[in-house]
Amino acid sequence: MEQSEGEQESQPESHVDSKSSVKSLPGGEAHVKLEIKKHAVTDDYKLSKRVLGLGINGKVLECFNKETGQKCALKLLYDNPKARQEVEYHWRASGCPHIVHVLDVYENIHHGKRCLLIVMEWYAPAAASTKHCPLRGWSMEGGELFSRIQERGDQAFTEREASEIMRDIGTAIQYLHSMNIAHRDVKPENLLYTSKEKDTVLKLTDFGFAKETSVNALQTPCYTPYYVAPEVLGPEKYDKSCDMWSLGVITYILLCGFPPFYSNTGQAISPGMKRRIRMGQYGFPNPEWAEVSEEAKQLIRHLLKTDPTERMTVSQFMNHPWINRSMAVPPTPLHTARVLQEDKDHWDEVKEEMTSALATMRVDYDQVKIKDLKTSNNRLLNKRRKKQKQAGTSSAAPGCNNQ
Ligand code: I85
């Protein structure tokens, strides 16, 4: 890792730098604007060969702070506008106690390529279940939420515990949504179940698909407004609702050990599964669901609503009695640990299915470019322009909001 050369050299236009502002931490202390360090990360940290996992945009390694000896996690990304956004969103979000904390960010040259390095706080999974996979290096499986539940042999996982876990994840989502950031990749692999003394804490990570939702699509040049569907004008709700759908799926799996929608064909996402997701076809089969409270099922129904505009928002979620009164949730023993254990050979498929389903939901409205009417070469428009010219008006398209 070398330090980044020529700071003056033309840098890829960052989409986010100007927007990063002071963020406040729960304790009231202000989290300052992100400053990307340009000197070599290896000046400050000793990188280890241990791979903690592979994210969407890059791998995560273990490293050590040279001065304090503190063990950290380092994520390596190739520098591009998408990586810059990931870094910025993760930085802004890291004031939340249920989001993996970012300590430092570096910009370095690695093998001739400009890289971004995110140094994060290192979290050890709740169970010391360090699995070693000789082919892939170190596996991070042990740190993920469901592996932890699966390993609970004798002691049954309860409905109340499920409620507490969902409240933690909800807290992270609420924090993000209040800053108008949608995570859009809330899934088991991105939930680290960690332990501090006796307490276990959930941490959400990986901002590789995060998106700012406050920017109105109409502010991008000019659409051909005649055909704009209402959902294109207001993408905000959609991006956030994707996170709410994830909360529904995770709640469901926590309560029974299997997902609400799955593919029968072995494909990551089959036509049948897509249909079932679209139609909202899932059930609460017995025996797994027999003892689960009606309140929990009602919450899931609100989260898995097929119409994103009808889906529960994060504030409604946090105010739902099953979430905000975890203590009153019955400590009913669940089938989850047994089912996860029995179906463990299929867990990789379940994860793949959730990944594909999320991808289909991340409709990127940014990519829907609406034409500039002034330069549009639409036949109908041209005809109309001609007519208007003849009539002596100058406006190209009446009714277009050419601001
Ligand atoms: N600690 N998705 C799966 C990990 N501490 N991990 C992933 N994106 C990230 C890895 C691939 C999440 O942004 C990820 C990211 C950040 C981490 C992360 C951050 C801080 C950890 C991709 C561990 C860990 C620590 C001790 C033991 C073990 C794991 O991963 C285990 F035993 F499991 F191997």
Side-chain angles (χ1 to χ4, degrees), residues 125-162:
S129 57
T130 4
K131 291 180 204 148
H132 187 256
C133 170
L135 279 174
R136 288 190 298 162
W138 284 91
S139 155
M140 133 106 249
E141 300 296 308
E144 290 166 19
L145 168 61
F146 288 99
S147 346
R148 178 68 196 93
I149 296 167
Q150 183 210 301
E151 281 152 15
R152 297 240 312 223
D154 40 350
Q155 202 190 357
F157 179 68
T158 69
E159 186 174 328
R160 187 181 295 166
E161 284 177 274

Side-chain angles (χ1 to χ4, degrees), residues 347-379:
W347 185 245
D348 279 345
E349 282 162 48
V350 170
K351 290 201 286 194
E352 266 176 54
E353 284 165 0
M354 185 142 184
T355 301
S356 321
L358 278 166
T360 68
M361 298 187 112
R362 275 190 298 265
V363 187
D364 237 317
Y365 294 96
D366 292 346
Q367 276 155 29
V368 187
K369 280 252 161 60
I370 295 188
K371 286 182 199 148
D372 184 341
L373 283 176
K374 278 186 258 176
T375 55
S376 165
N377 207 17
N378 179 295
R379 266 184 55 210

Side-chain angles (χ1 to χ4, degrees), residues 50-56 58 60 62 72-73 75 86 90 100 120-125 127-131 138-144 189-192 205-207:
R50 187 181 179 191
V51 178
L52 295 173
L54 300 177
I56 319 149
V60 183
E62 187 182 74
C72 301
K75 190 169 183 181
E86 169 168 355
H90 200 162
V100 167
M120 296 173 257
E121 212 163 346
W122 183 89
Y123 301 109
S129 57
T130 4
K131 291 180 204 148
W138 284 91
S139 155
M140 133 106 249
E141 300 296 308
E144 290 166 19
E189 299 96 293
N190 290 333
L191 293 164
L192 309 183
T205 190
D206 214 317
F207 285 72

